Amino acid sequence: MQAHTTTRRRKVTVRVWRGRTLLRGAACILTFALCLRLLFLSGLGGKAEALIAQAGENTGFVHAVLGLELPASSGEGVGWDDFFAAQSAALMLPDTPAETEPPAPPPEETPMPGSLLPLVPEGAFWTMSPGLSPSPQTPPSDSGIAEITFNPTSPEGYLVAGGQYIKNETGKKPDAEALLRAQNPVTLPKKGVQILIVHTHGSESFQPDENFAFAHSDTDRTEDTRYNVVRLGDEIAEIFEAKGLTVLHDRNIYDYPTYPGSYSRSLNAITKAIAENPGIAIVIDVHRDAIQTAAGTVYKTVAVAGEEKVAQMMLVVGTNDSGLTHPNWQKNLNFALKLQKNINAAHPTLMRPINLRKERFNQHATTGSMILEIGTSGNTLTEAIAAARLFGETAGDMLKGLVQK
């Protein structure tokens, strides 16, 4: 009787195990179908077709997806950045600009939406785009790097307020003129930490030159903080502090050795820093861009300040257009417009047009949040440092005026 009972229990256990296996398999299929549906709804049908064609031959993608939590309306979860990184790693498809990731995702110079890839055909100095200057740029050097300066001359294709240009890549229609006229939403406390500088993609680096000889540990990346964007944060923090501002510089690297999840990791650091220093009113996430044609020509952005050639910079402002919670994005745009106008008054070509994006980029953390793109992977570190110091000088003077009396 006991043996019979044991056998029966084993049979029941086997049936339960098989049932659970079937349920897990069904969950995999349903999850994958939902992901493909989301891709189509997001306007990424071409990517979805590629996934359909290849996913059946590679189960790694399905397992990667099941390990992720896609962003909900609450703004919680790992995010689309990890989702797309997972599908790229599993299926070896070209990387796609992600929902919560900023410009220049790995493995190498994939341009951000709206950058020069569709605008600069091989063999041409410049292709006319709405509102951009047709001034000839330098052809590629022996290293395959060419120079270009973003110089809007027409409002066509842009939002314009007080001479400040905004490249709007969202479905939003902000009144830029009204925002520029509105009161500055940012004030700095008299005591305590006022500004946080962070680097979501801290390993992003530049071209070595005679001033800085170093070796990349990955494609245009290095963990050595003397030569990556962390060095630019050092320069900005030093100048801010010399002007009497109080800065917390987070010198940690959040994108290496694993790029997926870098925004989740940096958000944790930002949240912790603000909790420990509630006076933080401004968060500057310092990056560098990457611009490359399909044929491999890399572009560096340049401006002339005095007699010095420096890297052009760009402010990136996120929104809630991706569906993530970010109610104060227009206040961030207000602040960015005022900051851009201040810098342009001193150095008219130093800044590229403000880039307004669907993605949130952790900028819901505090009203004075921004991404600062300094140069591209084609710029030298010398050019990038020169630009960072100019930003520190001009922005620092403006920020001093925002300290509470």
Side-chain angles (χ1 to χ4, degrees):
M1 183 66 179
Q2 181 62 38
H4 175 72
T5 303
T6 302
T7 303
R8 184 177 181 182
R9 285 177 181 171
R10 287 176 179 171
K11 288 180 179 178
V12 170
T13 301
V14 169
R15 287 171 183 167
V16 170
W17 180 82
R18 288 176 178 171
R20 288 176 179 173
T21 302
L22 290 173
L23 286 174
R24 287 173 181 167
C28 289
I29 294 170
L30 289 173
T31 302
F32 182 60
L34 175 61
C35 292
L36 292 179
R37 177 61 176 166
L38 289 172
L39 285 172
F40 279 113
L41 291 176
S42 302
L44 298 172
K47 182 68 70 177
E49 289 178 5
L51 291 175
I52 292 170
Q54 298 186 43
E57 301 174 4
N58 191 326
T59 59
F61 170 59
V62 176
H63 290 292
V65 169
L66 291 177
L68 301 175
E69 179 185 352
L70 296 181
S73 58
S74 64
E76 298 177 352
V78 174
W80 284 104
D81 51 336
D82 292 346
F83 170 78
F84 283 114
Q87 60 88 2
S88 293
L91 299 182
M92 301 303 291
L93 297 176
D95 199 16
T96 301
E99 190 59 42
T100 55
E101 287 289 343
E108 49 190 278
E109 300 75 31
T110 303
M112 61 185 290
S115 66
L116 290 180
L117 183 59
L119 303 181
V120 185
E122 201 68 18
F125 290 161
W126 183 251
T127 298
M128 285 296 293
S129 178
L132 291 174
S133 167
S135 302
Q137 305 299 316
T138 61
S141 64
D142 292 340
S143 64
I145 297 175
E147 297 180 358
I148 199 163
T149 302
F150 286 82
N151 183 27
T153 57
S154 163
E156 184 183 357
Y158 293 92
L159 297 176
V160 183
Q164 314 314 306
Y165 287 77
I166 303 170
K167 182 66 174 176
N168 185 6
E169 298 188 36
T170 76
K172 306 291 186 180
K173 296 181 180 179
D175 187 339
E177 289 283 0
L179 289 175
L180 188 58
R181 291 193 303 268
Q183 182 178 353
N184 195 322
V186 176
T187 58
L188 304 182
K190 292 181 66 174
K191 297 181 179 180
V193 178
Q194 301 160 322
I195 301 164
L196 171 65
I197 298 176
V198 68
H199 307 276
T200 297
H201 294 158
S203 70
E204 291 174 334
S205 59
F206 302 87
Q207 295 298 315
D209 62 9
E210 63 275 9
N211 298 319
F212 300 99
F214 65 96
H216 289 119
S217 55
D218 204 338
T219 305
D220 296 323
R221 283 175 163 76
T222 178
E223 296 176 83
D224 192 330
T225 55
R226 295 174 296 173
Y227 306 119
N228 58 28
V229 293
V230 177
R231 170 64 183 275
L232 305 185
D234 289 338
E235 301 287 341
I236 295 170
E238 178 185 327
I239 294 173
F240 279 177
E241 289 171 345
K243 293 180 179 294
L245 298 167
T246 307
V247 181
L248 173 61
H249 183 199
D250 182 351
R251 303 182 78 255
N252 291 302
I253 295 177
Y254 296 109
D255 66 328
Y256 204 88
T258 1
Y259 190 91
S262 50
Y263 265 82
S264 297
R265 291 188 287 273
S266 66
L267 177 59
N268 289 337
I270 292 169
T271 303
K272 182 175 183 291
I274 293 176
E276 295 173 351
N277 304 276
I280 290 175
I282 295 171
V283 177
I284 305 174
D285 192 353
V286 180
H287 293 248
R288 67 108 174 98
D289 202 356
I291 303 173
Q292 183 176 5
T293 66
T297 299
V298 174
Y299 277 81
K300 65 177 181 177
T301 59
V302 295
V304 176
E307 297 182 356
E308 186 178 23
K309 183 184 292 185
V310 304
Q312 266 194 315
M313 297 181 288
M314 176 173 66
L315 298 177
V316 180
V317 178
T319 70
N320 59 6
D321 210 26
S322 68
L324 298 180
T325 303
H326 186 12
N328 294 322
W329 66 268
Q330 292 202 70
K331 291 183 178 180
N332 285 1
L333 181 57
N334 173 331
F335 180 63
L337 279 166
K338 290 176 169 58
L339 181 60
Q340 180 106 337
K341 185 173 183 178
N342 183 275
I343 297 173
N344 281 339
H347 306 287
T349 64
L350 185 59
M351 303 300 295
R352 294 163 58 179
I354 294 172
N355 189 212
L356 188 65
R357 296 284 294 279
K358 293 181 178 181
E359 299 81 6
R360 187 174 64 177
F361 301 131
N362 293 343
Q363 293 176 11
H364 61 299
T366 185
T367 299
S369 295
M370 72 190 80
I371 282 178
L372 175 64
E373 296 275 358
I374 302 181
T376 75
S377 59
N379 285 98
T380 64
L381 182 56
T382 300
E383 294 165 338
I385 288 175
R389 296 190 68 82
L390 288 175
F391 176 86
E393 290 289 344
T394 52
D397 289 338
M398 172 186 165
L399 299 183
K400 283 194 306 180
L402 300 179
V403 178
Q404 296 172 353
K405 305 300 182 186

